[in-house]
Amino acid sequence: MIRIVNEDTPLFILDTEDTSYLFKVTATGHPEHLYYGAKITADSSDGLTECHEFAEGNTNAVDDEHKNFTLENMRLEISSYGKGDIREPMIELTNSDGSFTVDLRYDSYELSKGKKEPEDFPGSYGAEDEVDVLKIVMKDKENNLQLDMFYYVYPKCNVITRKCVLTNHGDGRVIIDRLMSMLMDFDNGSYTMHTFTGAWTREMHKSDIPVKAGKTVVSSYTGTSSSRANPLVMISEGIANEEYGKVYGFNLIYSGNHYECCEMSPYGKVRFVAGINPSGFRWTLEKEECFETPEEVMTFSREGFGKMSHNMHDFVNTHIVRGEWKERLRPILLNSWEASYFDINESKLVNLARIAKKIGIELFVMDDGWFGTRDDDTSSLGDWYANKKKLPGGLKGLCSKIKKLGLDFGIWVEPEMVNEKSELYRSHPDWVIAIPGKPHSKGRNQMILDLTRSGVQEYIIDTMTRILSSCDISYIKWDMNRTFTDIFSSALPADRQGEVIHRYYMGLYHVMNVITKKFPKVLFEGCAAGGNRFDLGILSYFPQIWASDDTDPVVRAEIQTSYSYGYPPSTISCHVSDSPNHQTLRRTHSTTRFNVAAFGVLGYESNLMDMRKEQLEGYKKQIECYKEWRQTMQYGRFYRIMSFADSLSDTHSVITPTTGKHLEWCVVSEDKKTALSMILQIMVIPNSQTAVIHPAGLDPDMRYSLNNRELSYSILDFGSLVNTAAPVHIRADGHNHHLLDKFIRMPGEKESHIMYGDAIMNAGVHLKSGFAAVGYDDQVRFYQDYSSRIYILRSEENDNGNDQQDHKDNG
Ligand code: DGJ
């Protein structure tokens, strides 16, 4: 809800269910930020306004009429250089006379309701009863500029988004060097900036950076939102954890270069700005042209990081993801990449699909290698015709065989790219982002198509239309495997080269919009060498994204934990792959690989043809389990209860920093009648029998049954200890040991408890004894390095009860 109190100048009150955001217009016409935080009752700015009776020494008065008014230490909604504010500005530009000063003053406001679904540029959307809109019009009369600042208030999700549009009403051209989406000034205080940086196969490393004097910046400069620095940023005030404390969440609805900066001024005030990265950006506005920024999402929670994430999750599921896949269950897929990389052919794929069908997979996805002469990554991007040697019946032939097996069919594409070794490049060498006549630095042997050109956009739309119309394709994995270098478009003049990246995204979003509208039933999954473009811009068109090329469950657990701060499980694509893992060579149990992947959109990426019967049986049971709880796994309330980083404990003085690191997640159905809880440890703690879990988000008054997803173990896992039970001596790992393994499995522990929700959450559930080298029976928890468990909680009122025996996993 938005309220306006007309004092001498207006006071704007933007309320969501649990938060309030207030600013007012000063006598000078500057929007002064008053408050953002937990919901408050206010009918005036009394007591919320800072007092600046006299201008601070050595600062500049904004004008002669207001000698005590200086911008350097004000809390503002917008700031620019030239009138005394020397902190990070929201706007930097060069006026037509060469000056840099921008002096925007309040002009008027407009209120409206509802926000349309985005078309050629991503953004949030909502019906009239879901979103209130405030537009503040600011004018710089000296330079004939107008800045429209938009606030979109989503009360239910406790989210406010901001963006602005700058229009040049002057006769001359204006050059924009920076136009951020939002700026917020916090009161003096103790703040921590939480960022997510990383690299390929290790995306989303969370850093907690105390905000001190000076600036802390995260930004991407790869031409993508990037694995180097996700646009998701949080700021906490004072002490905050998952359940307590003040936490602000911010995210940009954009896939290009972004910039987030926290600055503590010499007065101790903290300013946060976010938007398009000004580095490499320069935009010319001719007379009556305008420039629109992407939207920045803001949320606040005074119940810690957990509630902040829940706000973000609700917002993304309801006001970002759209189309037929909005709030719809996602299929379980098998992807061919790690099963055979480029070495694919029809019979191999059909054999793989046949087994996939038997274990319960619903969608078969052919990854890279199916087109042109693509046998490795040196050629064929751009030649989107099936390789007839590999697929004699073309896409159609393979598709009909897969469909006959009872599976849906999907394919991998990378439409934004071209290899020099391709028909497309030979026909259109000018269609790439490159500086003519100068050497080009390539990534993965490929070049980026110049999507600023409408001809290139049309080519991609036509190509995708042809492919998607050629047979019954239900799913597209849309990849993008390199970052930008030598940024230049031959379609733009020399003085507009600073516009290339942003124009590229305008082109890409147009393409994505047209294709997703043309093929609304197709499930699109974004991908960019894993998580190099995991952002709300992509999610505005594609409902899910491949989170990382790393499928090692231990690494993934950390990566998925980090994504969960801002992105709901329904958007995070996760696969069970082989062990040893192809990215880390780490060996892990299939159970752990499943347990981690199940807390997102589950898929498989394994060579099923090489698997033993028992392994396939294990996968089958996993898939059955996931199908049963899929609604909760994909759309339930997700809780981070413990992360590896937080679990470092000095209570066990004998353990090293790695031993004992563990993680705990929980996901709870909307009606709270079902919950699934997962624990995972990195390294075993010796002589440690006791353990307790704390599932969260339950109804305190409901009685729940809690059972583990039961496991059984290979006797090979016990090595020579097998002799403590065997009547004859068995050589560890020898022939007899392996022979016995075919017939004997060691039963895992059975957890079975009936408890009230409040007891489970507060007292915790004390688990069966962990293995501690003093005995083993079916009451002992076999909990080794990289072990994990899923516990299923069902309310006694839940008539959807199920027998856990159905889900016995062969590990
Ligand atoms: C990078 C993706 O992230 C992988 O999953 C796979 O699709 C390869 N590209 C194919 O080239």
Side-chain angles (χ1 to χ4, degrees), residues 337 342 367-368 374 412 444 477 479 481 527 529-530 546 549:
W337 182 240
F342 294 102
D367 207 279
D368 201 349
R374 182 95 167 157
W412 175 97
R444 212 193 189 203
K477 177 174 172 188
D479 207 344
N481 278 300
C527 174
W546 179 229
D549 273 355

Side-chain angles (χ1 to χ4, degrees), residues 529-542:
N532 200 38
R533 218 167 47 181
F534 199 114
D535 60 67
L536 299 180
I538 297 296
L539 287 175
S540 295
Y541 301 95
F542 298 167

Side-chain angles (χ1 to χ4, degrees), residues 728-798:
V728 292
H729 183 76
I730 291 169
R731 189 162 57 83
D733 214 26
H735 175 75
N736 288 343
H737 202 178
H738 280 270
L739 190 68
L740 276 177
D741 182 52
K742 290 199 174 21
F743 304 103
I744 304 172
R745 285 197 69 82
M746 300 293 278
E749 87 284 7
K750 284 191 184 65
E751 294 288 352
S752 176
H753 306 276
I754 306 269
M755 293 170 77
Y756 277 96
D758 56 3
I760 295 173
M761 293 188 290
N762 294 306
V765 182
H766 293 75
L767 301 177
K768 290 267 152 66
S769 299
F771 177 79
V774 286
Y776 184 83
D777 61 21
D778 62 4
Q779 296 302 309
V780 169
R781 205 161 23 92
F782 181 95
Y783 202 58
Q784 299 310 110
D785 294 355
Y786 319 127
S787 272
S788 72
R789 289 287 186 284
I790 282 185
Y791 300 96
I792 299 165
L793 293 98
R794 276 165 300 183
S795 137
E796 287 194 326
E797 293 165 33
N798 201 342

Side-chain angles (χ1 to χ4, degrees), residues 9 152 428 452:
T9 52
Y152 301 99
H428 298 285
T452 70

